[in-house]
């Protein structure tokens, strides 16, 4: 099955993004990592994000299905209730819609029991690259350094 992935986005009273949290690790009593907190499950169950983090100047926070890193600060959130439904670029007006992202995720084929959606949403260790208008920059060819040899080529 699919693992739900997302980050947390904090926003001010005007909806401007003021912070992001990519992931949070849980450690057992011995101090060993035994999992990651599922922000999405917590939100969908009605949990408060103040249980997870507190950001000065934030009026609220919610989950977002993409990892944008610092680029998220160029957006403001749109809400439906307490759920973030879109990020709108503050200068260009470009919209990143949750329902479109979720549709693209669902349309990605399942291989080996899971969907590889990294090209759609990034990941905590590799945020999506956005242009000055807030659109995803598609990298030509494969990702990674071109000067390192590939096995099988």
């Amino acid at each position: 099955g699919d693992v739900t992935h997302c980050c947390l986005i904090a926003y001010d009273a005007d909806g401007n993004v003021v912070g992001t949290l990519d992931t949070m690790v849980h450690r057992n009593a011995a101090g060993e990592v035994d999992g990651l907190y599922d922000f999405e499950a917590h939100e969908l169950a009605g949990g408060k994000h103040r249980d997870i983090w507190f950001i000065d100047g934030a009026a609220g926070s919610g989950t977002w299905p993409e990892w944008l890193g610092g680029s998220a600060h160029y957006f403001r959130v749109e809400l439906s209730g307490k759920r973030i439904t879109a990020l709108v670029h503050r200068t260009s007006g470009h919209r990143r819609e949750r329902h479109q992202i979720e549709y693209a995720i669902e349309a990605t084929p399942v291989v080996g029991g899971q969907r590889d959606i990294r090209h759609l949403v990034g990941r905590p260790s590799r945020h999506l690259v956005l242009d000055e208008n807030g659109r995803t920059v598609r990298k030509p060819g494969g990702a990674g350094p071109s000067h390192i040899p590939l096995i099988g080529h």
Side-chain angles (χ1 to χ4, degrees), residues 2 13 23 28 33 39 42 47 50-51 60 102-103 117 119 133:
D2 297 332
T23 190
N28 62 24
V33 173
F39 302 146
H42 184 68
R50 282 171 284 198
D51 297 341
E102 290 173 347
Y103 177 80
I117 59 172
H119 65 290
N133 294 313

Side-chain angles (χ1 to χ4, degrees), residues 14-71:
D14 295 324
N16 296 311
V17 174
V18 295
T20 63
L21 179 63
D22 288 341
T23 190
M24 185 181 284
V25 173
H26 181 269
R27 295 181 185 275
N28 62 24
E32 300 160 330
V33 173
D34 63 1
L36 299 175
Y37 286 99
D38 188 338
F39 302 146
E40 182 83 351
H42 184 68
E43 179 172 289
L44 292 174
K48 306 286 185 220
H49 294 298
R50 282 171 284 198
D51 297 341
I52 301 169
W53 69 335
F54 178 80
I55 300 292
D56 278 337
S61 71
T63 62
W64 188 250
E66 299 174 302
W67 283 283
L68 304 176
S71 295

